[in-house]
Structure formats: C-alpha cells, structure tokens
Amino acid sequence: MLHTFVALVQDKPGVLTRVASLFRRLNINIVSLTVGESERADTSRMTIVCEAPDTAAHRIRASLYKLEITVDVDEVGRSEGVIRELCLIKVAAGPSEPNGLHSRSQIFELAQVFRARVVDLAPESIMLEMTGSSSKIEGLIQVLRESNYTILEVSRTGRMAMRRGKHTSRVLKALGTPNGNGPTNFTPPDFSTDEIIPNEFPDVHEEE
Amino acid sequence: MADNTNTNPQLTGAEILWATLVGEGITTVFGYPGGAILPAYDALRKFPIHHVLVRHEQGAAHMADGYARASGKVGVCIATSGPGATNLVTGIATAMLDSIPIVCITGQVSSKVLGTDAFQEIDITGITLPITKHNYLVTRAEDIAPTLRQAFQVATTGRPGPVLVDITKDAQQATAPFDFAAAAPTEHRPHPMLRADSSAMQDAIELIKNAKRPVILAGHGIIESGARAQVIDFAERRQIPVASTLLGLGAFPTYHPLSLGMMGMHGEAWVNNAIQQSDLLLAFGMRFDDRVTGNLAKYAPNAKKIHIEIDPAEINKNVKVDVALIGDLRKVLDTLLPLMPKNSDASWIKEVDAMKGNASVRDIINLPDNGHLYAAHVIHDIWAEALAANRLLQTIIVTDVGQHQMWEAQYYKHDALRSLITSGGLGTMGFALPAAIGAKAACPEKDVWVIAGDGGFQMTAAELSTIQQEKMAINIAVINNGFLGMVRQWQEAFYDKNYAESPILSPNFVALAAAHGIAGAHVSKRKDVTAAVTQSRTSGKPFLIDFQVEKEDGVYPMIAPGSGLHEMVRRPAANPLLETAEDV
Ligand SMILES: Cc1ncc(C[n+]2csc(CCOP(=O)(O)OP(=O)(O)O)c2C)c(N)n1
C-alpha cells in the first residue's frame, strides 16, 4: 500500500542522501519525494510517498526518526490530510495535429474542466499547469491521450501532504509553538503501542 | 581550556581536536598517521593523550570498540584519509551492529580539492553512511570542537553507536578561538520514550501477573543502560528464569539460581526449551536476532511477548510483540518494579530445572580424561583457574568468531558485567586481538584473555607487535584445530563433509609470538592446561598459548537454518562421550 510520510529534517548538505539511503536499505521504492523549506528556519520539509506493506509503516517512521538529521516524522493518511501535487504538461497543438485548428480550443476546454491553467502558448504546443490530487492529474493526462493528443512532456512534483485543521499536525505539536519557531517544550514523538498499528488508509482516488 | 573572557585562545584546528578530546575525558586513542591527518599528529604531543600505534586501521577501530565495551566509555580511533579511512570500515560496522559507542576521526584532503579525486581522497562519509549512527564532514577549524562534542553525544545517547568525523587537512591547519564549554552540543532532540501514564504499562503488568511460565530474555541493553540491579530485582521478585543473548552474557550473573545461560542457535537445550514452552517472554534490551529465535514461525508459539527497548525501530521488526515499552530499560524497570507484587510460586522454576536432566553429568568437561584436548576443556579451565585465583570479577575474555566463541559462551560462566567482549552482530573474525588491546588499555588492572581460533587469529595477528610496543600483559589462547572450525562444522552438517577450503595451515604460533618478543607455550594435554594458564596470567607480560585441540569437534546443540528453537541437532549418538548438552 502507499504510505505518505512527512519528515522535518535539518537543512544541511547530505540530508537527502541519508533519507534516500534509508529507503534503499529497507528495499522500499520511493514513489515520490518532495523537499522544500518549511515554516521553520534551517528546517526542510519532506513528503515521502512510498509503496510498502502496511506493517512496514511503523518501522519506516521509527527508522526515519532514528536519523540524527530528523527533527520529527509524521505519517499522514488520506482522510487526515490534504495531499497535493503540481504538474506541468506540454501538449502538441499545432495545425498538423489530428484535431487541426480546433486543437487549441479543445485543450482550453479540458483545462477549464480540470481547473488547469494555460501557462505557455507556442505555435506547436501548449503548456498546462495543474495542482491537485494525483488522481486528478492522472485524469487530465488520460483524457488528453484518449482525445488523441500527443503529450510531449510531463513533469510532476510528487505529492506534498499536510494535516487538516489548526494544530492537528503532530509535527507542529512537536515543534511546540503555533508558528513553529522559538523555544519549545518539545514532546518526544509517541511511539507507544497503539501507534504500532499502522495508519490504515485506502489507496483510492480522493475527491477534491 | 575554556576561557571566560572574550579572549579565547586561538588554536589550530589540530590543537582544537586534541583539546576537545581531552575535554571529553579521553586519555587514550588508537590510530595510525598519514598525510591528511599529519597536522593533528604534529600537535599530539602537546596534550595528555596516550596514542596507541596500531598495525592496521581495522585494529584501531576494534581497539576503540574493545575499550568502549570494557569501560562503558567512548572509544576513539584515528586514521588518515583514503586507505586509512577505508581500513576502518570493518571495525566501524562491527561497532554498529553491536551498538558500541566509538568516535572515529579521519583526515580528509583539503576542502579546496574535495571532490576532485585528489591523492588519497575517498568519500568516507558516503562509505560509512549506513554503518555509522551518524557522521560528519568538517571543513573549518571553528567547527571542529562543536562537531566532535556532538559526535560524543550522538555516540552515547539513546541506542549507542559509532560516529565518524572526517576533518579536512586545511581545517586542521587553520586557526580558530577555542572554547570547550561554548562548543557544548545544543539540547538533543528527545528520544522516543514511553509516557508514564501509558496504557502499555498497565497491559504489561497484567500480562506479567497472569503469566505461569515466564522467561526473561536478557540482552545487551541491560549493560548499556546499567539495569543489572533492576533486572535481578525483577527476576527475583517474580521468580522468573533468565536466558541471555550472546551479548547479554554477564548482564545477569551466571551463579544466580535464576540464570539459565545462553539461548539461541548454540544455546543449551533447557534454555531453548524453556523459551519454546513459555507463556510470556520479557525481552529486556534485546532485538530478537535470527540467531536467537530460529525459525520465526515456530518461535515461542504460546508466549505473549513484552518488549522493553530503547529503539522503536526494533519493535515488531522480527517478532510481533503484544506490548512494547519504549525507553531506557533501567528507567522503565524502575517504573515497573514498584507495581510488581512478589511471586513465590516456584513450580515453573522447578520445571525448567528438571529440563536440565543429567546434562552436567554427561558434559565433556566432567568426563574422565581420554587423552584428547577439547576446546571446552580449555575454556572451562581458564574460567576455573580465574575462579581459584579469585580473579573472576577482574577477568575480561575477548573472543574471536567461530566455534571457540560459542564454546566460550557455553563454558565460561560470566558473573561480572563487561566480562565478555565479542563480536555478535557482525561476527567479525580478527576482532579478538585488537579488541583485547582496547580492553587492556581501558582496564590495565584486569586480566585480559584473548580466545581466538587459528583462522581468525591470523587475520589481525600483526597487532602482536602493538601489544609488545605497548608492553601490555595480555593473555592469548589460540584454539588451534587446523580448520576454520565453524565453517567445517557447517560443511559437515549441511554439505556432505565437503571440506572446501576449511582446512587451514598456520604458522608455529609460539614461534610467531617469539618473533615479537612474546613468550608462549604449546599445550595439547588437558593436564597441562591449568599450569600454562597460570603461568600466562601471572607472568606480568604478554603470553601466547597454542592449544592444540581436537580437530573435528562440533558445537552442540545446534539449530539448523529453518528449524525451530526446540528442534536442536544433538551430538551424534555414536560417540556419547562427547555429549555436551542435555541428552533427552
Ligand atoms: C571476516 C570474516 N570472514 C569470514 C567469516 C566466516 N566465518 C565464520 S566462523 C569462521 C571460521 C573461524 O575459524 P577459526 O578462526 O579457526 O575458529 P574456529 O571456528 O575453528 O573456532 C568463518 C570463516 C567471518 N565470520 N568473518
């Protein structure tokens, strides 16, 4: 099943290798991994999506926390969090395309339905930008293909996840303050037995 | 060294390195010089640190490891870049798999040429990433003190482990102000811990109260957390027998009536049978390694399991447990103990005792001398000699890896903490001699014995020269059977006695010792064992005994791969004289 982990890690050289190396050692395939700045100085936020047996979740989370560069780890289930991905799609849309001169208007229509944006127009192609759940993105790509458009390039960021609601994030709680900086009364993550039961969440397409 | 005014002394990075080690309480390091670490060596003499010159950097890492295991303090080793650093790898991995706190310092090429394949440049932080708890690359003099101090903290807190600090040559040469106190690591992120109000605690107490056939599985964590007294108290209060892992030997005293001995692949039959018949396993600071569980599907099928462990990643890794109490063992037991009512029902203990049967009567060490010398004799007699001399609590045994290691675990009765030093997780041949040097450096007042096979001894025998240079009175027992014994035993059991490359030629070990200026003796009769052992122990100098033992002896009981813990292979009945375990 798919697991989505959020890890707050130190922003230092080599940190990505350490995280990636952990998954390599556990022989677990990373489906996507996004890294960027977080609300906290010197701390990056990673969202790691991986395919692993459901029983592996606890071990992955605990192993991630074992890395010295890790500040905290959380596993976010679909129902608990908002999971989004950004995608750029370049579609061939010149006069020689199957739909000829109508190409462009059809693509504009599809984009509108999927709430994608046109971010580049060239004589032979159109670039779309779309944010959403993975299933939405896959939906748009599929429709384009089924309408006989040639997809020239796809670039997806991989998923980012955040728990819903104010302060519900275990990550935020661990940081101790609402804005996440400043001194903390740091609570260690609770790895007690009830958490050994992995967060079960169905791998189904999520509605917007 | 710390100066409270704002005029902290300007030191070179090399000086900062040593000054920080001194500040951390380090008095001995094990190392080998070379180009990229030469600035550090140039500054060494200004500091009150004794440097042991090894003969191979693998030895330096094992020495730091042996030092740490013997003393409970951090062991430090040092090597140059490139080949010096890569030679450390086996030693670091050995410490990693046994959770031993060592700090390894390596020189690195100058930061200006990092990544250019400069002479003797190797990406040692990359190489050691999976075999260190953490590692660092330092390129500036001012980062040396804080990084080293952090390395010590990482090595010793939580589940201990090796840490490597790679320091570029220019960082050693540059200068920076030095302030030891100011370089203290910032508050460490919290280690996962059990909440005191956790329902897991209540669940554990219920399971313990209801258990009729409980067994404590005593692991290395008892030693690391200093929980010996708590474990003894716990076992006595509930009248629970205690089985040990290899690395747990010595954590619970063997003389204690509740002590069963070692469990697992070469554990005695009654120990493994007690575990298989148990209804509650209490795993104290151990990790259900495959060598102690046998086939997991058949492991203790009727037992509930409580796992007390500092590393959450170990929970449910191999064995699914019913209750996990995460945290430092000593602290968890301190919380648990007052809540434990006393139990005086001794029926389970009696049952376990009965499982021992007539094992001891039939044991090789109690049988009349048949003219042959067995490794079991040698190990038993080393133990008996120390006991007779009242030196048992002042003796450290350092084993290598193989049959002799298992016989040591079976026949030497470890009462004292840190009295056995052995490579369990990685099973590193060549470990014993250098690790013993580390142990002797940590505990010069103790008697240190190396027990090594003829194969493993040859892997690091060059360190004999180190022993002599350091004038260390280390006792060396080579258990010489002319084979890579453990390999031969597997070939006998599982490969139709096809002894492919397991017979091994050895030099005359006594002559080899003599070439290093070390005295020695050959022993091939049981009657000569004790005298030679005493001679070695009391000589005040290093001494090597070449014990020429039975060539094709086997360690029994033995659990074949895939078998359950109770499905032990016994000694072939044709030669009942050699039965070393329970004969059921
Ligand atoms: C570095 C290393 N290489 C290979 C092995 C595999 N191995 C395990 S035990 C053993 C035989 C050890 O022979 P010896 O040192 O003579 O000891 P004995 O078993 O005879 O007591 C070997 C080769 C190992 N554990 N470590």
Side-chain angles (χ1 to χ4, degrees):
Chain A
M1 65 184 282
L2 280 187
H3 300 272
T4 306
F5 296 96
V6 172
L8 286 180
V9 295
Q10 291 170 8
D11 184 11
K12 282 191 181 156
V15 165
L16 186 58
T17 313
R18 290 176 195 277
V19 172
S21 172
L22 171 74
F23 284 87
R24 177 187 54 79
R25 186 172 116 75
L26 297 174
N27 195 23
I28 289 172
N29 187 37
I30 296 176
V31 175
S32 76
L33 192 160
T34 65
V35 202
E37 289 170 3
S38 68
E39 72 284 359
R40 203 189 197 205
D42 306 322
T43 306
S44 313
R45 181 173 172 128
M46 292 186 177
T47 304
I48 307 149
V49 181
C50 66
E51 178 68 49
D54 52 357
T55 48
H58 164 80
R59 180 135 179 261
I60 296 170
R61 208 180 134 216
S63 301
L64 274 170
Y65 191 72
K66 229 164 118 171
L67 299 174
E68 290 297 322
I69 44 88
T70 304
V71 178
D72 201 6
V73 192
D74 192 8
E75 186 184 2
V76 183
R78 294 218 172 229
S79 54
E80 306 161 322
V82 174
I83 301 180
R84 288 292 177 272
E85 192 172 350
L86 172 69
C87 180
L88 296 176
I89 305 170
K90 193 184 284 174
V91 193
S96 57
E97 284 306 304
N99 299 321
L101 290 173
H102 298 298
S103 295
R104 289 174 183 247
S105 52
Q106 267 192 10
I107 292 172
F108 287 164
E109 264 170 40
L110 281 175
Q112 212 167 17
V113 172
F114 279 86
R115 284 188 236 155
R117 293 198 303 143
V118 175
V119 289
D120 183 56
L121 261 179
E124 299 289 330
S125 67
I126 290 180
M127 196 195 305
L128 301 176
E129 174 199 303
M130 179 176 169
T131 311
S133 63
S134 305
S135 54
K136 266 261 154 69
I137 292 172
E138 276 143 28
L140 174 58
I141 294 172
Q142 196 183 342
V143 170
L144 285 168
R145 287 219 166 99
E146 283 172 0
S147 314
N148 285 326
Y149 287 104
T150 308
I151 292 180
L152 299 170
E153 278 184 71
V154 172
S155 176
R156 296 170 67 165
T157 56
R159 281 157 250 207
M160 296 199 298
M162 190 175 281
R163 277 181 183 274
R164 294 177 192 273
K166 202 182 174 200
H167 307 315
T168 54
S169 158
R170 270 179 260 168
V171 175
L172 268 186
K173 262 196 276 175
L175 290 174
T177 54
N179 59 8
N181 37 29
T184 61
N185 42 358
F186 218 50
T187 351
D190 187 357
F191 286 95
S192 59
T193 12
D194 40 310
E195 299 233 352
I196 289 172
I197 312 304
N199 281 337
E200 202 87 41
F201 58 91
D203 180 25
V204 291
H205 296 320
E206 179 210 29
E207 75 287 86
E208 181 81 55
Chain B
M1 280 271 164
D3 192 338
N4 280 337
T5 70
N6 51 12
T7 55
N8 291 313
Q10 284 277 337
L11 301 186
T12 64
E15 290 165 336
I16 292 173
L17 188 166
W18 297 115
T20 308
L21 292 182
V22 171
E24 290 287 347
I26 296 303
T27 52
T28 306
V29 301
F30 308 90
Y32 207 85
I37 195 73
L38 267 183
Y41 274 84
D42 191 44
L44 169 60
R45 288 210 196 149
K46 298 179 211 159
F47 295 85
I49 285 188
H50 176 63
H51 179 279
V52 174
L53 180 68
V54 305
R55 294 301 183 269
H56 184 292
E57 290 87 350
Q58 178 187 350
H62 288 328
M63 287 177 208
D65 178 324
Y67 182 95
R69 294 192 206 223
S71 65
K73 295 188 277 192
V74 177
V76 176
C77 62
I78 183 159
T80 190
S81 66
T86 54
N87 274 352
L88 291 175
V89 166
T90 303
I92 298 173
T94 304
M96 182 69 177
L97 285 211
D98 287 347
S99 307
I100 305 299
I102 62 172
V103 169
C104 310
I105 298 166
T106 48
Q108 181 57 281
V109 299
S110 277
S111 60
K112 295 180 286 292
V113 294
L114 268 180
T116 65
D117 295 333
F119 178 63
Q120 294 194 331
E121 180 189 2
I122 203 77
D123 174 16
I124 196 64
T125 46
I127 289 174
T128 59
L129 192 130
I131 55 162
T132 50
K133 191 174 167 193
H134 195 58
N135 61 26
Y136 303 88
L137 169 64
V138 181
T139 55
R140 302 187 316 168
E142 55 268 42
D143 294 338
I144 292 177
T147 308
L148 273 175
R149 294 206 63 181
Q150 207 180 343
F152 275 82
Q153 187 189 55
V154 169
T156 51
T157 50
R159 180 177 179 172
V163 179
L164 180 133
V165 184
D166 195 26
I167 307 176
T168 60
K169 193 170 183 179
D170 52 341
Q172 298 167 46
Q173 287 163 327
T175 55
F178 176 64
D179 182 345
F180 183 77
T186 48
E187 209 196 317
H188 202 268
R189 74 204 173 117
H191 284 283
M193 258 181 337
L194 185 74
R195 308 256 161 89
D197 56 354
S198 162
S199 61
M201 213 60 153
Q202 289 310 317
D203 297 345
I205 292 167
E206 276 314 300
L207 284 180
I208 296 165
K209 279 189 190 156
N210 294 330
K212 295 272 178 289
R213 308 157 77 82
V215 176
I216 289 173
L217 308 177
H220 186 202
I222 299 173
I223 301 169
E224 290 299 334
S225 86
R228 177 188 175 97
Q230 283 78 358
V231 175
I232 293 175
D233 191 356
F234 192 95
E236 287 175 351
R237 196 176 290 211
R238 298 299 304 173
Q239 288 298 301
I240 305 179
V242 180
S244 281
T245 66
L246 176 63
L247 291 195
L249 290 174
F252 192 84
T254 317
Y255 62 73
H256 198 287
L258 290 171
S259 164
L260 293 180
M262 185 174 69
M263 62 177 114
M265 184 173 263
H266 293 296
E268 298 294 356
W270 66 84
V271 190
N272 289 339
N273 285 332
I275 290 170
Q276 289 303 78
Q277 292 169 28
S278 138
D279 66 358
L280 177 67
L281 293 179
L282 292 137
F284 287 179
M286 56 85 77
R287 59 183 175 93
F288 292 105
D289 182 87
D290 53 75
R291 298 286 123 152
V292 308
T293 61
N295 186 332
L296 283 172
K298 299 179 184 175
Y299 185 63
N302 302 317
K304 300 270 186 203
K305 284 127 194 151
I306 298 175
H307 197 176
I308 309 183
E309 169 59 46
I310 198 161
D311 179 358
E314 291 294 346
I315 305 299
N316 287 351
K317 188 178 83 178
N318 299 334
V319 169
K320 175 110 178 72
V321 297
D322 298 275
V323 178
L325 303 177
I326 289 157
D328 179 77
L329 180 65
R330 183 156 50 98
K331 289 187 193 141
V332 173
L333 288 181
D334 275 338
T335 317
L336 209 52
L337 270 168
L339 308 170
M340 284 282 101
K342 267 199 161 43
N343 167 39
S344 53
D345 178 4
S347 52
W348 168 233
I349 300 294
K350 290 210 183 86
E351 210 178 313
V352 172
D353 270 341
M355 290 183 203
K356 293 185 182 176
N358 62 355
S360 72
V361 184
R362 304 179 46 75
D363 198 315
I364 182 94
I365 54 170
N366 296 322
L367 290 172
D369 194 343
N370 65 353
H372 296 257
L373 182 63
Y374 292 88
H377 291 146
V378 175
I379 284 152
H380 172 270
D381 293 355
I382 289 175
W383 170 76
E385 199 272 348
L387 180 68
N390 201 17
R391 292 288 295 170
L392 211 50
L393 298 182
Q394 286 81 40
T395 300
I396 298 175
I397 307 287
V398 188
T399 80
D400 216 74
V401 170
Q403 289 184 312
H404 66 278
Q405 180 188 30
M406 293 297 108
W407 280 314
E408 201 286 343
Q410 292 178 338
Y411 289 98
Y412 194 100
K413 307 296 171 210
H414 286 280
D415 294 333
L417 274 179
R418 304 186 181 280
S419 62
L420 170 61
I421 294 178
T422 193
S423 165
L426 196 67
T428 309
M429 284 172 70
F431 173 77
L433 189 62
I437 294 173
K440 187 71 180 176
C443 307
E445 73 294 349
K446 290 199 175 166
D447 296 333
V448 175
W449 278 94
V450 171
I451 298 183
D454 42 342
F457 184 74
Q458 291 186 68
M459 282 200 171
T460 50
E463 303 298 346
L464 282 173
S465 193
T466 309
I467 291 181
Q468 191 60 345
Q469 185 165 350
E470 291 294 317
K471 309 226 174 313
M472 284 178 162
I474 291 176
N475 308 285
I476 301 163
V478 180
I479 309 295
N480 188 348
N481 55 10
F483 278 100
L484 300 174
M486 189 57 95
V487 170
R488 189 209 57 75
Q489 181 172 346
W490 278 59
Q491 289 170 331
E492 177 183 340
F494 310 117
Y495 297 91
D496 294 331
K497 291 200 179 190
N498 176 15
Y499 292 161
E501 299 304 314
S502 55
I504 183 168
L505 179 76
S506 291
N508 177 334
F509 288 116
V510 174
L512 179 71
H516 291 87
I518 294 173
H522 294 285
V523 172
S524 55
K525 296 265 179 298
R526 173 136 199 220
K527 63 178 174 46
D528 301 328
V529 173
T530 302
V533 166
T534 305
Q535 186 190 357
S536 172
R537 189 178 56 75
T538 56
S539 73
K541 292 190 177 131
F543 197 90
L544 182 148
I545 312 172
D546 173 31
F547 288 105
Q548 288 158 355
V549 299
E550 193 66 15
K551 287 189 178 339
E552 299 195 26
D553 194 7
V555 185
Y556 295 94
M558 175 189 192
I559 295 159
S563 298
L565 208 51
H566 56 289
E567 299 165 327
M568 286 161 275
V569 179
R570 300 303 177 71
R571 176 86 52 174
N575 196 352
L577 179 68
L578 302 180
E579 177 68 76
T580 53
E582 184 202 6
D583 183 30
V584 189

